[in-house]
Amino acid sequence: MSKPPVRTVPHDKGWANRRDGSSRVSKVFSTKAAAQAAGRKTAKREKTEHIIHNKDGRIGSRNSYGRGPYPPKG
């Protein structure tokens, strides 16, 4: 079973990373860039997806560091 994605999300005290299915965040960062860097590192280490949200909560971008199909569909 693959690990749930890591999400970089806005937080009332800045930016944070959390996993799907978890209501708690791992750590709060003062900038989006710092949270993204930490989220990317975790996603790469655990070979999962990193989903980055905009300030309004919508998905801005996503990167997959897992073992997706090659060549990709579409």
Side-chain angles (χ1 to χ4, degrees), residues 21-41:
S22 176
S23 59
R24 296 175 54 189
V25 298
S26 58
K27 185 176 177 182
V28 178
F29 299 87
S30 58
T31 65
K32 183 177 181 179
Q36 268 183 267
R40 182 181 315 109
K41 183 176 179 180

mmCIF file with all atom_site columns, all heavy atoms in Angstrom, residues 21-41:
data_model
loop_
_atom_site.group_PDB
_atom_site.id
_atom_site.type_symbol
_atom_site.label_atom_id
_atom_site.label_alt_id
_atom_site.label_comp_id
_atom_site.label_asym_id
_atom_site.label_entity_id
_atom_site.label_seq_id
_atom_site.pdbx_PDB_ins_code
_atom_site.Cartn_x
_atom_site.Cartn_y
_atom_site.Cartn_z
_atom_site.occupancy
_atom_site.B_iso_or_equiv
_atom_site.pdbx_formal_charge
_atom_site.auth_seq_id
_atom_site.auth_comp_id
_atom_site.auth_asym_id
_atom_site.auth_atom_id
_atom_site.pdbx_PDB_model_num
ATOM 1   N N   . GLY A 1 21 ? -5.895 12.301 5.437  1.00 0.00 ? 21 GLY A N   1
ATOM 2   C CA  . GLY A 1 21 ? -6.432 11.464 6.494  1.00 0.00 ? 21 GLY A CA  1
ATOM 3   C C   . GLY A 1 21 ? -6.028 11.918 7.888  1.00 0.00 ? 21 GLY A C   1
ATOM 4   O O   . GLY A 1 21 ? -6.482 11.363 8.874  1.00 0.00 ? 21 GLY A O   1
ATOM 5   N N   . SER A 1 22 ? -5.187 12.929 7.978  1.00 0.00 ? 22 SER A N   1
ATOM 6   C CA  . SER A 1 22 ? -4.744 13.434 9.277  1.00 0.00 ? 22 SER A CA  1
ATOM 7   C C   . SER A 1 22 ? -5.261 14.850 9.480  1.00 0.00 ? 22 SER A C   1
ATOM 8   O O   . SER A 1 22 ? -5.190 15.679 8.576  1.00 0.00 ? 22 SER A O   1
ATOM 9   C CB  . SER A 1 22 ? -3.219 13.430 9.348  1.00 0.00 ? 22 SER A CB  1
ATOM 10  O OG  . SER A 1 22 ? -2.782 14.000 10.565 1.00 0.00 ? 22 SER A OG  1
ATOM 11  N N   . SER A 1 23 ? -5.750 15.131 10.652 1.00 0.00 ? 23 SER A N   1
ATOM 12  C CA  . SER A 1 23 ? -6.225 16.485 10.940 1.00 0.00 ? 23 SER A CA  1
ATOM 13  C C   . SER A 1 23 ? -5.101 17.348 11.522 1.00 0.00 ? 23 SER A C   1
ATOM 14  O O   . SER A 1 23 ? -5.201 18.568 11.538 1.00 0.00 ? 23 SER A O   1
ATOM 15  C CB  . SER A 1 23 ? -7.399 16.439 11.915 1.00 0.00 ? 23 SER A CB  1
ATOM 16  O OG  . SER A 1 23 ? -7.001 15.802 13.119 1.00 0.00 ? 23 SER A OG  1
ATOM 17  N N   . ARG A 1 24 ? -4.023 16.710 11.978 1.00 0.00 ? 24 ARG A N   1
ATOM 18  C CA  . ARG A 1 24 ? -2.893 17.431 12.560 1.00 0.00 ? 24 ARG A CA  1
ATOM 19  C C   . ARG A 1 24 ? -1.836 17.727 11.502 1.00 0.00 ? 24 ARG A C   1
ATOM 20  O O   . ARG A 1 24 ? -1.676 16.988 10.550 1.00 0.00 ? 24 ARG A O   1
ATOM 21  C CB  . ARG A 1 24 ? -2.276 16.602 13.673 1.00 0.00 ? 24 ARG A CB  1
ATOM 22  C CG  . ARG A 1 24 ? -3.237 16.398 14.832 1.00 0.00 ? 24 ARG A CG  1
ATOM 23  C CD  . ARG A 1 24 ? -2.682 15.492 15.876 1.00 0.00 ? 24 ARG A CD  1
ATOM 24  N NE  . ARG A 1 24 ? -1.381 15.972 16.330 1.00 0.00 ? 24 ARG A NE  1
ATOM 25  C CZ  . ARG A 1 24 ? -0.578 15.287 17.110 1.00 0.00 ? 24 ARG A CZ  1
ATOM 26  N NH1 . ARG A 1 24 ? -0.941 14.089 17.523 1.00 0.00 ? 24 ARG A NH1 1
ATOM 27  N NH2 . ARG A 1 24 ? 0.575  15.776 17.479 1.00 0.00 ? 24 ARG A NH2 1
ATOM 28  N N   . VAL A 1 25 ? -1.112 18.811 11.711 1.00 0.00 ? 25 VAL A N   1
ATOM 29  C CA  . VAL A 1 25 ? -0.007 19.164 10.821 1.00 0.00 ? 25 VAL A CA  1
ATOM 30  C C   . VAL A 1 25 ? 1.297  18.731 11.469 1.00 0.00 ? 25 VAL A C   1
ATOM 31  O O   . VAL A 1 25 ? 1.395  18.612 12.689 1.00 0.00 ? 25 VAL A O   1
ATOM 32  C CB  . VAL A 1 25 ? 0.025  20.671 10.500 1.00 0.00 ? 25 VAL A CB  1
ATOM 33  C CG1 . VAL A 1 25 ? -1.241 21.097 9.777  1.00 0.00 ? 25 VAL A CG1 1
ATOM 34  C CG2 . VAL A 1 25 ? 0.235  21.510 11.742 1.00 0.00 ? 25 VAL A CG2 1
ATOM 35  N N   . SER A 1 26 ? 2.317  18.486 10.639 1.00 0.00 ? 26 SER A N   1
ATOM 36  C CA  . SER A 1 26 ? 3.597  18.047 11.177 1.00 0.00 ? 26 SER A CA  1
ATOM 37  C C   . SER A 1 26 ? 4.380  19.204 11.788 1.00 0.00 ? 26 SER A C   1
ATOM 38  O O   . SER A 1 26 ? 4.973  19.065 12.849 1.00 0.00 ? 26 SER A O   1
ATOM 39  C CB  . SER A 1 26 ? 4.419  17.369 10.088 1.00 0.00 ? 26 SER A CB  1
ATOM 40  O OG  . SER A 1 26 ? 4.616  18.242 9.004  1.00 0.00 ? 26 SER A OG  1
ATOM 41  N N   . LYS A 1 27 ? 4.380  20.342 11.127 1.00 0.00 ? 27 LYS A N   1
ATOM 42  C CA  . LYS A 1 27 ? 5.119  21.512 11.605 1.00 0.00 ? 27 LYS A CA  1
ATOM 43  C C   . LYS A 1 27 ? 4.570  22.740 10.894 1.00 0.00 ? 27 LYS A C   1
ATOM 44  O O   . LYS A 1 27 ? 4.149  22.654 9.751  1.00 0.00 ? 27 LYS A O   1
ATOM 45  C CB  . LYS A 1 27 ? 6.607  21.350 11.297 1.00 0.00 ? 27 LYS A CB  1
ATOM 46  C CG  . LYS A 1 27 ? 7.474  22.447 11.852 1.00 0.00 ? 27 LYS A CG  1
ATOM 47  C CD  . LYS A 1 27 ? 8.947  22.182 11.601 1.00 0.00 ? 27 LYS A CD  1
ATOM 48  C CE  . LYS A 1 27 ? 9.775  23.335 12.107 1.00 0.00 ? 27 LYS A CE  1
ATOM 49  N NZ  . LYS A 1 27 ? 11.193 23.160 11.853 1.00 0.00 ? 27 LYS A NZ  1
ATOM 50  N N   . VAL A 1 28 ? 4.599  23.876 11.545 1.00 0.00 ? 28 VAL A N   1
ATOM 51  C CA  . VAL A 1 28 ? 4.144  25.136 10.956 1.00 0.00 ? 28 VAL A CA  1
ATOM 52  C C   . VAL A 1 28 ? 5.370  25.951 10.558 1.00 0.00 ? 28 VAL A C   1
ATOM 53  O O   . VAL A 1 28 ? 6.334  26.054 11.320 1.00 0.00 ? 28 VAL A O   1
ATOM 54  C CB  . VAL A 1 28 ? 3.258  25.925 11.944 1.00 0.00 ? 28 VAL A CB  1
ATOM 55  C CG1 . VAL A 1 28 ? 2.839  27.250 11.347 1.00 0.00 ? 28 VAL A CG1 1
ATOM 56  C CG2 . VAL A 1 28 ? 2.031  25.110 12.332 1.00 0.00 ? 28 VAL A CG2 1
ATOM 57  N N   . PHE A 1 29 ? 5.333  26.523 9.356  1.00 0.00 ? 29 PHE A N   1
ATOM 58  C CA  . PHE A 1 29 ? 6.437  27.323 8.812  1.00 0.00 ? 29 PHE A CA  1
ATOM 59  C C   . PHE A 1 29 ? 5.947  28.750 8.594  1.00 0.00 ? 29 PHE A C   1
ATOM 60  O O   . PHE A 1 29 ? 4.765  28.969 8.309  1.00 0.00 ? 29 PHE A O   1
ATOM 61  C CB  . PHE A 1 29 ? 6.904  26.740 7.474  1.00 0.00 ? 29 PHE A CB  1
ATOM 62  C CG  . PHE A 1 29 ? 7.419  25.330 7.590  1.00 0.00 ? 29 PHE A CG  1
ATOM 63  C CD1 . PHE A 1 29 ? 6.555  24.248 7.501  1.00 0.00 ? 29 PHE A CD1 1
ATOM 64  C CD2 . PHE A 1 29 ? 8.766  25.083 7.785  1.00 0.00 ? 29 PHE A CD2 1
ATOM 65  C CE1 . PHE A 1 29 ? 7.015  22.957 7.615  1.00 0.00 ? 29 PHE A CE1 1
ATOM 66  C CE2 . PHE A 1 29 ? 9.245  23.791 7.895  1.00 0.00 ? 29 PHE A CE2 1
ATOM 67  C CZ  . PHE A 1 29 ? 8.373  22.725 7.809  1.00 0.00 ? 29 PHE A CZ  1
ATOM 68  N N   . SER A 1 30 ? 6.868  29.692 8.665  1.00 0.00 ? 30 SER A N   1
ATOM 69  C CA  . SER A 1 30 ? 6.478  31.094 8.491  1.00 0.00 ? 30 SER A CA  1
ATOM 70  C C   . SER A 1 30 ? 6.275  31.453 7.018  1.00 0.00 ? 30 SER A C   1
ATOM 71  O O   . SER A 1 30 ? 5.541  32.376 6.702  1.00 0.00 ? 30 SER A O   1
ATOM 72  C CB  . SER A 1 30 ? 7.512  32.029 9.121  1.00 0.00 ? 30 SER A CB  1
ATOM 73  O OG  . SER A 1 30 ? 8.783  31.811 8.542  1.00 0.00 ? 30 SER A OG  1
ATOM 74  N N   . THR A 1 31 ? 6.929  30.705 6.093  1.00 0.00 ? 31 THR A N   1
ATOM 75  C CA  . THR A 1 31 ? 6.775  30.994 4.667  1.00 0.00 ? 31 THR A CA  1
ATOM 76  C C   . THR A 1 31 ? 6.322  29.754 3.896  1.00 0.00 ? 31 THR A C   1
ATOM 77  O O   . THR A 1 31 ? 6.589  28.625 4.313  1.00 0.00 ? 31 THR A O   1
ATOM 78  C CB  . THR A 1 31 ? 8.097  31.488 4.046  1.00 0.00 ? 31 THR A CB  1
ATOM 79  O OG1 . THR A 1 31 ? 9.050  30.435 4.097  1.00 0.00 ? 31 THR A OG1 1
ATOM 80  C CG2 . THR A 1 31 ? 8.625  32.718 4.779  1.00 0.00 ? 31 THR A CG2 1
ATOM 81  N N   . LYS A 1 32 ? 5.678  30.006 2.770  1.00 0.00 ? 32 LYS A N   1
ATOM 82  C CA  . LYS A 1 32 ? 5.248  28.908 1.904  1.00 0.00 ? 32 LYS A CA  1
ATOM 83  C C   . LYS A 1 32 ? 6.462  28.173 1.342  1.00 0.00 ? 32 LYS A C   1
ATOM 84  O O   . LYS A 1 32 ? 6.457  26.952 1.239  1.00 0.00 ? 32 LYS A O   1
ATOM 85  C CB  . LYS A 1 32 ? 4.381  29.454 0.761  1.00 0.00 ? 32 LYS A CB  1
ATOM 86  C CG  . LYS A 1 32 ? 3.833  28.376 -0.149 1.00 0.00 ? 32 LYS A CG  1
ATOM 87  C CD  . LYS A 1 32 ? 2.926  28.973 -1.217 1.00 0.00 ? 32 LYS A CD  1
ATOM 88  C CE  . LYS A 1 32 ? 2.366  27.899 -2.120 1.00 0.00 ? 32 LYS A CE  1
ATOM 89  N NZ  . LYS A 1 32 ? 1.474  28.463 -3.144 1.00 0.00 ? 32 LYS A NZ  1
ATOM 90  N N   . ALA A 1 33 ? 7.514  28.909 1.004  1.00 0.00 ? 33 ALA A N   1
ATOM 91  C CA  . ALA A 1 33 ? 8.714  28.294 0.433  1.00 0.00 ? 33 ALA A CA  1
ATOM 92  C C   . ALA A 1 33 ? 9.350  27.298 1.401  1.00 0.00 ? 33 ALA A C   1
ATOM 93  O O   . ALA A 1 33 ? 9.776  26.210 0.996  1.00 0.00 ? 33 ALA A O   1
ATOM 94  C CB  . ALA A 1 33 ? 9.716  29.368 0.042  1.00 0.00 ? 33 ALA A CB  1
ATOM 95  N N   . ALA A 1 34 ? 9.414  27.650 2.671  1.00 0.00 ? 34 ALA A N   1
ATOM 96  C CA  . ALA A 1 34 ? 9.996  26.754 3.671  1.00 0.00 ? 34 ALA A CA  1
ATOM 97  C C   . ALA A 1 34 ? 9.131  25.495 3.833  1.00 0.00 ? 34 ALA A C   1
ATOM 98  O O   . ALA A 1 34 ? 9.656  24.377 3.929  1.00 0.00 ? 34 ALA A O   1
ATOM 99  C CB  . ALA A 1 34 ? 10.141 27.470 5.002  1.00 0.00 ? 34 ALA A CB  1
ATOM 100 N N   . ALA A 1 35 ? 7.816  25.665 3.852  1.00 0.00 ? 35 ALA A N   1
ATOM 101 C CA  . ALA A 1 35 ? 6.914  24.519 3.975  1.00 0.00 ? 35 ALA A CA  1
ATOM 102 C C   . ALA A 1 35 ? 7.010  23.622 2.742  1.00 0.00 ? 35 ALA A C   1
ATOM 103 O O   . ALA A 1 35 ? 7.018  22.398 2.850  1.00 0.00 ? 35 ALA A O   1
ATOM 104 C CB  . ALA A 1 35 ? 5.479  24.995 4.171  1.00 0.00 ? 35 ALA A CB  1
ATOM 105 N N   . GLN A 1 36 ? 7.091  24.231 1.553  1.00 0.00 ? 36 GLN A N   1
ATOM 106 C CA  . GLN A 1 36 ? 7.225  23.463 0.311  1.00 0.00 ? 36 GLN A CA  1
ATOM 107 C C   . GLN A 1 36 ? 8.508  22.643 0.307  1.00 0.00 ? 36 GLN A C   1
ATOM 108 O O   . GLN A 1 36 ? 8.502  21.480 -0.085 1.00 0.00 ? 36 GLN A O   1
ATOM 109 C CB  . GLN A 1 36 ? 7.253  24.400 -0.899 1.00 0.00 ? 36 GLN A CB  1
ATOM 110 C CG  . GLN A 1 36 ? 5.910  24.640 -1.506 1.00 0.00 ? 36 GLN A CG  1
ATOM 111 C CD  . GLN A 1 36 ? 6.044  25.507 -2.739 1.00 0.00 ? 36 GLN A CD  1
ATOM 112 O OE1 . GLN A 1 36 ? 5.921  26.716 -2.645 1.00 0.00 ? 36 GLN A OE1 1
ATOM 113 N NE2 . GLN A 1 36 ? 6.285  24.916 -3.871 1.00 0.00 ? 36 GLN A NE2 1
ATOM 114 N N   . ALA A 1 37 ? 9.612  23.236 0.724  1.00 0.00 ? 37 ALA A N   1
ATOM 115 C CA  . ALA A 1 37 ? 10.893 22.530 0.741  1.00 0.00 ? 37 ALA A CA  1
ATOM 116 C C   . ALA A 1 37 ? 10.836 21.326 1.674  1.00 0.00 ? 37 ALA A C   1
ATOM 117 O O   . ALA A 1 37 ? 11.293 20.229 1.324  1.00 0.00 ? 37 ALA A O   1
ATOM 118 C CB  . ALA A 1 37 ? 12.010 23.478 1.160  1.00 0.00 ? 37 ALA A CB  1
ATOM 119 N N   . ALA A 1 38 ? 10.246 21.500 2.853  1.00 0.00 ? 38 ALA A N   1
ATOM 120 C CA  . ALA A 1 38 ? 10.124 20.390 3.798  1.00 0.00 ? 38 ALA A CA  1
ATOM 121 C C   . ALA A 1 38 ? 9.175  19.318 3.264  1.00 0.00 ? 38 ALA A C   1
ATOM 122 O O   . ALA A 1 38 ? 9.438  18.116 3.378  1.00 0.00 ? 38 ALA A O   1
ATOM 123 C CB  . ALA A 1 38 ? 9.642  20.901 5.146  1.00 0.00 ? 38 ALA A CB  1
ATOM 124 N N   . GLY A 1 39 ? 8.065  19.736 2.649  1.00 0.00 ? 39 GLY A N   1
ATOM 125 C CA  . GLY A 1 39 ? 7.112  18.786 2.075  1.00 0.00 ? 39 GLY A CA  1
ATOM 126 C C   . GLY A 1 39 ? 7.715  17.997 0.928  1.00 0.00 ? 39 GLY A C   1
ATOM 127 O O   . GLY A 1 39 ? 7.501  16.795 0.800  1.00 0.00 ? 39 GLY A O   1
ATOM 128 N N   . ARG A 1 40 ? 8.490  18.674 0.076  1.00 0.00 ? 40 ARG A N   1
ATOM 129 C CA  . ARG A 1 40 ? 9.155  18.020 -1.054 1.00 0.00 ? 40 ARG A CA  1
ATOM 130 C C   . ARG A 1 40 ? 10.144 16.975 -0.546 1.00 0.00 ? 40 ARG A C   1
ATOM 131 O O   . ARG A 1 40 ? 10.203 15.860 -1.051 1.00 0.00 ? 40 ARG A O   1
ATOM 132 C CB  . ARG A 1 40 ? 9.868  19.056 -1.916 1.00 0.00 ? 40 ARG A CB  1
ATOM 133 C CG  . ARG A 1 40 ? 10.537 18.476 -3.143 1.00 0.00 ? 40 ARG A CG  1
ATOM 134 C CD  . ARG A 1 40 ? 11.270 19.529 -3.978 1.00 0.00 ? 40 ARG A CD  1
ATOM 135 N NE  . ARG A 1 40 ? 10.497 20.745 -4.184 1.00 0.00 ? 40 ARG A NE  1
ATOM 136 C CZ  . ARG A 1 40 ? 10.768 21.921 -3.621 1.00 0.00 ? 40 ARG A CZ  1
ATOM 137 N NH1 . ARG A 1 40 ? 11.803 22.065 -2.829 1.00 0.00 ? 40 ARG A NH1 1
ATOM 138 N NH2 . ARG A 1 40 ? 10.012 22.966 -3.877 1.00 0.00 ? 40 ARG A NH2 1
ATOM 139 N N   . LYS A 1 41 ? 10.898 17.325 0.469  1.00 0.00 ? 41 LYS A N   1
ATOM 140 C CA  . LYS A 1 41 ? 11.889 16.406 1.035  1.00 0.00 ? 41 LYS A CA  1
ATOM 141 C C   . LYS A 1 41 ? 11.203 15.147 1.584  1.00 0.00 ? 41 LYS A C   1
ATOM 142 O O   . LYS A 1 41 ? 11.659 14.032 1.344  1.00 0.00 ? 41 LYS A O   1
ATOM 143 C CB  . LYS A 1 41 ? 12.666 17.119 2.150  1.00 0.00 ? 41 LYS A CB  1
ATOM 144 C CG  . LYS A 1 41 ? 13.762 16.305 2.756  1.00 0.00 ? 41 LYS A CG  1
ATOM 145 C CD  . LYS A 1 41 ? 14.525 17.124 3.783  1.00 0.00 ? 41 LYS A CD  1
ATOM 146 C CE  . LYS A 1 41 ? 15.626 16.304 4.428  1.00 0.00 ? 41 LYS A CE  1
ATOM 147 N NZ  . LYS A 1 41 ? 16.357 17.083 5.427  1.00 0.00 ? 41 LYS A NZ  1
#
